[in-house]
Amino acid sequence: MAKQQASPEAKSAGATIYSVADHAGVSIATVSRVLQGATVVAETTRQKVLAAVEELGYVPLGAARSLAVRHHEAHGLVLPELSGPYYAELLMGFEARAAELAQSIVLVLTNSRTDLAAAVRQLATRVDAIAVFGSPAISADVVRLLRAKKPVVVIAGEPHDGAETIAAENLGSARELAGHVLGHGRRRALFVGDPDSGPDIRNRYAGYVAAHRERGLDAAEPVRVSLSEADGAAFAQRLLDGEYEADALMCANDELALSIMTTLQDAGRDVPGDIAVVGWDDVMTSRYVRPGLTTVRQPVQELGALAANRLHELVSGEPPRSQAQMLPTQLVVRSSCGCPPTH
Amino acid sequence: MAKQQASPEAKSAGATIYSVADHAGVSIATVSRVLQGATVVAETTRQKVLAAVEELGYVPLGAARSLAVRHHEAHGLVLPELSGPYYAELLMGFEARAAELAQSIVLVLTNSRTDLAAAVRQLATRVDAIAVFGSPAISADVVRLLRAKKPVVVIAGEPHDGAETIAAENLGSARELAGHVLGHGRRRALFVGDPDSGPDIRNRYAGYVAAHRERGLDAAEPVRVSLSEADGAAFAQRLLDGEYEADALMCANDELALSIMTTLQDAGRDVPGDIAVVGWDDVMTSRYVRPGLTTVRQPVQELGALAANRLHELVSGEPPRSQAQMLPTQLVVRSSCGCPPTH
DNA sequence: CTGTTAGCGCTTTCAT
DNA sequence: ATGAAAGCGCTAACAG
C-alpha cells in the first residue's frame, strides 16, 4: 500500500467526472448522483463508482458545479484587518456559522489592498453574498454598488442606503459605564476616541454625554485620537505634559486604554488612584494588566455568526430586514475604574 | 441620480456576458476582450461595452471564468483557529501576499469543523493550492490525500511525506533563550509545554535541553500541558502547592507564560525575584504586563506571506522544494527573565 | 435505477 | 479589430 504510487508528483490533474464514469462503466449522471448522495443508486453501482473515484483520485471541479447549480456556495467577508482580537473573533464566529451552513468563506482584508473597490468587485464575482465590516475605509459607494447585485449585510456600520445592518449595542452600555465612573466621584472624565470614525464610537460617546446629562454634569468634547497603541501613548504623554486635566479616561477601545494606562503608570501615575481608565471590548490583555481594566464585553463571535446566518437567509430568498439588528453588550467591572480589586 | 433606481431590490440577477454584448451591439468575444483588457479593442467599441456593463450592472460569474481558464485563481488556507495573535498574523501575511498575486483566499478553521476531512476535500474543490498549518488536528492522511491532487505547503508542521514545509527557526533561539535564563544563575529551570504537540514545541524543548547540556547541567523532563490559559493557571496552582520546584519557567508560548506569571503574582510570588518566566511569540500582552515578558519573536506574517508565495509558485509550475524553509526568529529580552527593567 | 442530453457563462482559437 | 463557435466539467430534467 505504501510504495505503489511510484511518481511522487502524480498530481493526476486529469480525472473528470467522465473518466470516473468510464472507469466505473456507468454514465456521468450516475457518478454525479452517488457523489451528491441525493438520489438513490443501486448499492453495487455505488461501490463501483466510489472505487473509481478512489482509484483515480478524483476531485470534482467546484467551478463546474457552481456554474451548473448557479450558486457559489460561498460567502464573502470584508474586514479591515486582523490585528487585535476583535476582527479575529468576528471572523471565527462568521466562519463557524458559515461552516454549519456548508458555505465556504472567502476573505478580503481591506488594509492590505491598494485598490479596494476592485478587490470587492472581484470578490462579488465568486460569492453569493457579502458581509462587510462598516469601516469608513469601505466607501458607501462600494456597498451601494454591490447591494444592487448581491445580498449585503453591513456589520457595525452606518445604515448605508438600506443595506441590512447588524451591530452590538453601544449607547446604553456606554451610558452605564460612564455612569459607573462618575459614580466613583470622578468629575473630570474625558472621552478618548473619535466619534466620527463610525457609529460604534459615536454611540459610545453619546452614552458618555448622556451619563453626564443625567447627572446635570457637563460632558467634555471628545479627544479625537485613532484606535491605535501609538496614538494612545502619544495622548498619554500630552496628558502627562499637562495639556489635559482629567481624573478619569473613558477610552474608545481597550487597546487605546491599555497603552494609555501603561504609559501613565510607567510615568509614576497611580491608576485608578490618580486617574481612572476604562476601555471597550474586553480583550485578553485587559484581564492580565494590573489593575484589571474595566471595560465592556461585546458578543463579537455572535455578531459574526449572525452575519453569516443572515447572508444565508438572504441568499435563500428571505426578505431583507429594514431595521438594524442589535446585540446586547455587558459591562465588565474590574479595578481600573476605582473599584476594589477582586481576584 | 439619486431616485432613478426605483426598485430597492433591483438585484438584476440577469446580466450575463450575452446581455451585455446585446446591449452594446457587439459579440460576447468583444465584451470578454474589453473586460480582460489583454487584447486591443477599438476605443469606441470599448466605450460602448463599458457603458453597457455599467448600465446593466454586470458582474461576471467567477465560476464560468474559472471553468474556462481552468484555474480557480484562489488559494486555500487551513488554520486551527484564530484566538490569540499568532494565527491571525499568519493569516494577515498570507492574505496580503495572496492579494498581491491576485489570488482570492478561502479559509477553513479546523476547530469549528466536525468533519475536517470533508471540509478539506470540499476546499480542494475550489482552490488551486492549499496551505495547511501543521497542527496534529490535521491528520497526515488528509495532507497526503490532497498532495496528490493539488500543491500543498505545510506551515510549521512535520515534514509530511514530502509536502513542502516552511517554519520559523526554533531550536537555536530556544537554546539561546534557555542559555540566557541559565546565565542569570537559575538552576531549576522547567520547560512547560508538550513537545509531542508538534515540531515547533519539540524543537523548543530540544533547545532547552541543548542549553543545559552545553553547561553540563541536567535538563528536566518537560511539564506537559496544553497551550491554553486555563492549563497555565492550573499548572501555576500545582507549582504553588509545592508539586514542582523551580526558579525559572520556560514556557512553550506566551499565553501559557502570561497565565502562569499572573497566577503566581496574584499568589504573592515575585517574578522574576522568586521565579523567572519566559515565553514564546511576543504577543501584544507581553509588552504590557509587568515585568515585561522575555520571549522570542517569530516572523509570523512573513511565514504567511511565504506560504502564499510558494503556493503561487507551485501553481505556476515551479518544482517543489525538498528542503524545509526556515525563517529566523529573534530573542526579545525584557525583565521577566531577571534582567533589569528598561522602559 | 440509469443513461442521454441540454445547458450554466465565460475564454479562446480560428477566421475574416 | 471583431465575430463564430467549440469547449471547460458538472447538474438536472427527461426518457426509458
Side-chain angles (χ1 to χ4, degrees):
Chain A
M1 200 68 180
K3 325 202 121 168
Q4 62 202 36
Q5 183 83 352
S7 147
E9 270 317 289
K11 205 147 298 159
S12 67
T16 71
I17 198 170
Y18 290 98
S19 46
V20 173
D22 266 14
H23 204 86
V26 300
S27 76
I28 60 167
T30 298
V31 175
S32 181
R33 286 187 187 107
V34 348
L35 261 34
Q36 300 312 312
T39 340
V40 188
V41 180
E43 186 54 24
T44 46
T45 45
R46 206 183 118 72
Q47 293 304 337
K48 279 191 302 187
V49 170
L50 259 18
V53 165
E54 186 65 23
E55 169 97 14
L56 268 38
Y58 171 57
V59 177
L61 194 61
R65 159 167 241 272
S66 293
L67 184 55
V69 301
R70 303 151 82 72
H71 265 332
H72 296 282
E73 297 170 310
H75 289 342
L77 179 58
V78 181
L79 255 28
E81 38 119 5
L82 286 176
S83 63
Y86 181 85
Y87 296 118
E89 275 194 34
L90 192 69
L91 175 47
M92 285 183 74
F94 188 90
E95 203 274 350
R97 182 63 186 135
E100 289 174 9
L101 298 168
Q103 303 298 304
S104 297
I105 106 147
V106 9
L107 179 70
V108 169
L109 299 182
T110 65
N111 279 11
S112 68
R113 305 289 175 150
T114 51
D115 188 350
L116 180 53
V120 173
R121 235 171 353 240
Q122 149 77 10
L123 175 64
T125 256
R126 35 170 66 256
V127 299
D128 298 318
I130 302 183
V132 316
F133 191 86
S135 114
I138 293 134
S139 76
D141 295 337
V142 175
V143 174
R144 188 166 328 122
L145 190 71
L146 281 181
R147 222 188 82 65
K149 308 294 131 213
K150 311 246 171 186
V152 168
V153 352
V154 176
I155 306 171
E158 309 287 352
H160 282 304
D161 48 13
E164 195 172 319
T165 300
I166 67 187
E169 196 278 330
N170 281 291
L171 210 164
S173 315
R175 194 166 54 71
E176 191 183 349
L177 175 58
H180 178 88
V181 169
L182 296 175
H184 279 298
R186 312 283 166 154
R187 283 301 171 271
R188 300 280 307 164
L190 252 34
F191 183 89
V192 186
D194 186 357
D196 291 340
S197 64
D200 271 0
I201 312 292
R202 183 170 64 240
N203 283 320
R204 290 173 203 167
Y205 180 63
Y208 160 94
V209 172
H212 280 78
R213 288 267 161 73
E214 289 168 4
R215 289 164 180 73
L217 266 27
D218 273 342
E221 284 299 300
V223 181
R224 298 177 189 272
V225 306
S226 82
L227 304 179
S228 71
E229 293 182 39
D231 272 31
F235 163 74
Q237 196 51 57
R238 287 189 286 149
L239 188 69
L240 289 166
D241 292 346
E243 197 170 319
Y244 297 94
E245 201 182 323
D247 59 7
L249 263 19
M250 178 162 162
C251 306
N253 78 355
D254 280 3
E255 270 160 285
L256 209 49
L258 290 165
S259 67
I260 292 173
M261 184 167 94
T262 310
T263 305
L264 259 25
Q265 287 175 317
D266 286 350
R269 290 292 197 285
D270 177 27
V271 177
D274 299 331
I275 185 167
V277 177
V278 300
W280 200 284
D281 282 349
D282 193 25
V283 305
M284 182 183 91
T285 304
S286 305
R287 286 203 301 286
Y288 284 112
V289 291
R290 293 296 174 258
L293 188 69
T294 289
T295 184
V296 173
R297 175 149 49 232
Q298 304 195 53
V300 188
Q301 299 215 14
E302 286 81 345
L303 213 56
L306 182 56
N309 205 55
R310 282 302 296 155
L311 247 35
H312 193 244
E313 290 178 354
L314 289 169
V315 168
S316 309
E318 289 197 16
R321 309 212 173 148
S322 48
Q323 189 121 34
Q325 287 168 89
M326 190 145 288
L327 264 31
T329 53
Q330 183 195 352
L331 189 58
V332 177
V333 176
R334 285 194 273 249
S335 48
S336 68
C337 55
C339 283
T342 56
H343 50 261
Chain B
M1 198 71 180
K3 325 202 121 167
Q4 61 202 35
Q5 184 84 349
S7 148
E9 270 317 290
K11 205 145 300 158
S12 69
T16 70
I17 198 170
Y18 291 98
S19 46
V20 173
D22 267 13
H23 204 86
V26 299
S27 74
I28 60 167
T30 299
V31 175
S32 180
R33 286 187 188 108
V34 349
L35 261 34
Q36 299 314 310
T39 340
V40 187
V41 179
E43 185 54 24
T44 46
T45 45
R46 207 183 116 71
Q47 293 305 338
K48 279 192 302 189
V49 170
L50 259 17
V53 165
E54 188 63 25
E55 169 97 15
L56 267 38
Y58 170 57
V59 177
L61 194 61
R65 158 166 243 271
S66 293
L67 183 55
V69 301
R70 303 150 83 71
H71 264 331
H72 295 282
E73 298 170 310
H75 289 341
L77 179 58
V78 181
L79 256 29
E81 40 119 4
L82 286 176
S83 63
Y86 182 85
Y87 296 118
E89 276 195 33
L90 193 68
L91 175 47
M92 286 182 74
F94 188 90
E95 203 274 350
R97 183 63 186 135
E100 289 173 9
L101 298 168
Q103 303 299 303
S104 297
I105 105 147
V106 9
L107 179 69
V108 169
L109 299 182
T110 65
N111 279 11
S112 68
R113 306 287 174 150
T114 51
D115 188 350
L116 180 53
V120 172
R121 231 165 5 235
Q122 149 77 10
L123 175 64
T125 256
R126 34 170 66 255
V127 299
D128 298 319
I130 301 183
V132 315
F133 191 86
S135 116
I138 294 135
S139 75
D141 295 338
V142 176
V143 174
R144 190 165 327 122
L145 191 71
L146 282 180
R147 222 188 81 64
K149 306 295 133 212
K150 311 246 172 186
V152 168
V153 353
V154 176
I155 305 171
E158 309 287 351
H160 282 305
D161 49 10
E164 195 171 318
T165 301
I166 68 187
E169 196 278 329
N170 282 291
L171 209 164
S173 315
R175 193 164 55 71
E176 191 184 347
L177 175 59
H180 178 89
V181 170
L182 295 175
H184 279 299
R186 311 285 165 153
R187 283 300 172 271
R188 300 279 307 162
L190 251 34
F191 183 90
V192 186
D194 186 356
D196 290 341
S197 64
D200 271 0
I201 312 293
R202 184 170 63 240
N203 283 321
R204 290 173 204 168
Y205 180 63
Y208 160 94
V209 171
H212 280 77
R213 289 265 160 75
E214 289 169 3
R215 290 162 179 75
L217 265 28
D218 273 341
E221 284 298 302
V223 181
R224 299 177 188 272
V225 306
S226 82
L227 304 179
S228 71
E229 292 182 39
D231 271 32
F235 163 72
Q237 196 51 57
R238 287 189 286 150
L239 188 70
L240 289 166
D241 292 346
E243 197 170 319
Y244 297 94
E245 201 182 323
D247 58 7
L249 263 18
M250 178 162 161
C251 306
N253 78 355
D254 279 2
E255 271 160 285
L256 208 50
L258 289 165
S259 67
I260 291 173
M261 185 168 94
T262 310
T263 306
L264 259 26
Q265 288 175 318
D266 286 350
R269 290 292 197 284
D270 177 27
V271 177
D274 298 332
I275 184 167
V277 178
V278 301
W280 199 284
D281 282 347
D282 193 25
V283 305
M284 182 183 90
T285 305
S286 305
R287 287 202 301 285
Y288 283 112
V289 291
R290 294 295 175 259
L293 188 68
T294 289
T295 184
V296 173
R297 176 149 48 230
Q298 304 194 55
V300 187
Q301 299 214 15
E302 287 81 345
L303 213 56
L306 182 57
N309 205 56
R310 282 302 296 154
L311 246 35
H312 194 244
E313 291 179 354
L314 289 170
V315 168
S316 308
E318 289 198 15
R321 310 214 171 145
S322 48
Q323 189 122 33
Q325 287 168 88
M326 190 146 288
L327 264 31
T329 53
Q330 183 195 352
L331 188 57
V332 177
V333 176
R334 287 193 272 249
S335 48
S336 69
C337 55
C339 284
T342 57
H343 52 261

